């Protein structure tokens, strides 16, 4: 609140704005993931990084940082689609439960880290807020590299009969 010079209602809007986008657009996001997995994964990684860098470059400008939060929320809209489609395409039936659980809970782990890390970086010195936003922007850029080099549209050999049937649909 000190950094942006805002009141509690504006802080709540800032902290929840990405969740509003995530909630309102998750159905559309899941549909697009199903239709264009690799392209949409790259787009989501790009928009996540973009949102992080917009927040960093906005500095203490509340509305610029809020715009960055909204971009991040738009990027997270297909998260449910990624969490369900990825195990279905790449893993056998016995492994899907574990992979789906990891995919879903990794978002929660990221959010938890996103709340703990700023407290450790900023502490009592509000001047460290810029460093915090820079660290977050760098971390949010990593998925672009991973999505470009590590993710395939579909495996060459399906992991199970059900994946083979879906591959031919």
């Amino acid at each position: 609140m000190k950094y942006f010079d805002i009141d509690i209602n504006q802080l709540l809007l800032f902290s929840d704005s990405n969740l509003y986008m995530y909630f309102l657009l998750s159905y559309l996001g899941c549909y697009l993931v199903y239709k264009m997995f690799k392209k949409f994964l790259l787009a989501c990684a790009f928009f996540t990084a973009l949102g992080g860098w917009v927040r960093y470059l906005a500095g203490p400008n509340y509305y610029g940082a809020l715009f960055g939060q909204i971009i991040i929320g738009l990027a997270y809209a297909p998260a449910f689609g990624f969490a369900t489609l990825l195990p279905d395409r790449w893993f056998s039936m016995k492994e899907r439960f574990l992979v789906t659980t990891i995919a879903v809970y990794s978002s929660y782990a990221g959010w938890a880290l996103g709340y703990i890390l700023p407290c450790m970086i900023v502490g009592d010195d509000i001047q460290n807020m810029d460093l915090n936003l820079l660290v977050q922007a760098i971390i949010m850029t990593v998925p672009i590299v991973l999505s470009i080099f590590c993710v395939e549209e579909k495996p060459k050999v399906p992991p199970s009969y059900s994946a083979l049937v879906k591959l031919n649909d």
Side-chain angles (χ1 to χ4, degrees):
M1 288 172 57
K2 289 179 191 176
Y3 181 73
F4 292 118
D5 191 29
I6 56 174
D7 63 29
I8 189 70
N9 291 326
Q10 290 173 302
L11 179 65
L12 292 173
L13 176 63
F14 181 80
S15 64
D16 292 343
S17 62
N18 59 346
L19 296 176
Y20 296 144
M21 297 294 106
Y22 181 64
F23 173 73
L24 293 173
L25 299 173
S26 62
Y27 181 79
L28 177 62
C30 289
Y31 174 78
L32 291 172
V33 165
Y34 181 74
K35 292 295 183 186
M36 306 175 283
F37 181 80
K38 177 75 174 187
K39 292 175 185 172
F40 217 67
L41 181 68
L42 288 169
C44 291
F46 172 77
F47 283 113
T48 299
L50 178 66
W53 287 105
V54 165
R55 284 191 325 185
Y56 169 69
L57 295 173
N61 179 327
Y62 171 73
Y63 293 103
L66 181 62
F67 181 64
Q69 283 289 96
I70 291 170
I71 292 172
I72 293 167
L74 292 172
Y76 277 34
F80 290 123
F82 290 133
T84 57
L85 192 60
L86 189 78
D88 192 43
R89 285 191 180 175
W90 279 272
F91 297 93
S92 70
M93 197 64 136
K94 293 178 182 177
E95 298 166 329
R96 289 182 191 165
F97 175 76
L98 177 62
V99 174
T100 303
T101 303
I102 291 170
V104 170
Y105 281 106
S106 64
S107 290
Y108 296 132
W111 287 338
L113 182 62
Y115 286 111
I116 293 170
L117 193 60
C119 295
M120 293 170 37
I121 293 173
V122 176
D124 293 331
D125 187 4
I126 198 72
Q127 298 302 321
N128 290 336
M129 188 66 171
D130 291 328
L131 175 62
N132 169 54
L133 293 172
L134 177 62
V135 168
Q136 287 183 4
I138 291 169
I139 291 171
M140 294 168 96
T141 304
V142 171
I144 292 174
V145 176
L146 295 174
S147 62
I148 290 172
F149 295 110
C150 299
V151 178
E152 298 176 19
E153 179 68 33
K154 294 179 182 179
K156 291 177 178 80
V157 178
S160 66
Y161 179 74
S162 64
L164 178 63
V165 170
K166 290 179 183 177
L167 184 67
N168 294 328
D169 281 350

